[in-house]
């Protein structure tokens, strides 16, 4: 009995049933058409709402460059990553000592 169940599970994992298509025919055709184009595309979530934005690689690069140059960003003098684990460790030990967290 157990070997039969193990065989069935193994067979199901190795040969999963085909997934049903969640796109309508015209959506599938449009997606295939976009994929066939030679330009590189970026598919991104929109800033607002539950939408998707499709940009060419050049459009995406231009928007990101504009965003970075107009924002409050400044180059870092050094990479802060190596100091983060030590800071986090000190904060966690302090919280543990103050009974704000427990192990």
């Amino acid at each position: 009995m157990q070997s039969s169940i193990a065989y069935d599970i193994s067979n199901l994992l190795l040969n999963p049933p085909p997934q049903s298509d969640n796109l309508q025919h015209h959506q599938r055709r449009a997606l295939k058409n976009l994929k066939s184009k030679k330009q590189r595309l970026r598919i991104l979530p929109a800033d607002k709402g539950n939408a998707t934005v499709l940009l060419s690689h050049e459009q995406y690069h231009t928007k990101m460059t504009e965003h970075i140059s107009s924002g409050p960003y400044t180059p870092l003098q050094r990479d802060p990553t190596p100091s983060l684990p030590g800071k986090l460790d000190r904060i966690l030990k302090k919280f543990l000592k103050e009974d704000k967290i427990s192990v």
Side-chain angles (χ1 to χ4, degrees):
M1 179 70 172
Q2 277 187 322
S3 66
S4 173
I5 293 172
Y7 174 79
D8 289 344
I9 292 172
S10 175
N11 192 30
L12 185 61
L13 291 173
L14 293 173
N15 304 307
Q19 294 182 351
S20 61
D21 194 358
N22 63 349
L23 296 177
Q24 295 176 6
H25 180 68
H26 69 280
Q27 293 170 323
R28 175 73 51 205
R29 190 173 52 240
L31 186 59
K32 197 177 222 179
N33 184 25
L34 286 171
K35 285 182 177 180
S36 71
K37 296 191 185 276
K38 296 296 179 197
Q39 74 178 20
R40 296 180 295 175
L41 298 174
R42 301 281 180 167
I43 301 172
L44 308 162
D47 288 342
K48 296 178 183 167
N50 190 14
T52 302
V53 177
L54 186 66
L55 297 174
S56 72
H57 180 73
E58 293 76 24
Q59 288 173 315
Y60 175 77
H61 189 268
T62 302
K63 287 218 178 266
M64 290 300 104
T65 304
E66 288 172 6
H67 183 70
I68 290 171
S69 63
S70 67
Y73 310 107
T74 57
L76 297 174
Q77 299 299 319
R78 62 180 183 83
D79 182 5
T81 308
S83 66
L84 294 178
K87 288 180 182 178
L88 179 60
D89 191 47
R90 285 190 297 280
I91 291 169
L92 291 174
K93 283 180 181 177
K94 178 184 172 202
F95 285 168
L96 190 61
K97 195 175 197 178
E98 296 172 355
D99 287 327
K100 291 183 178 177
I101 61 171
S102 62
V103 180

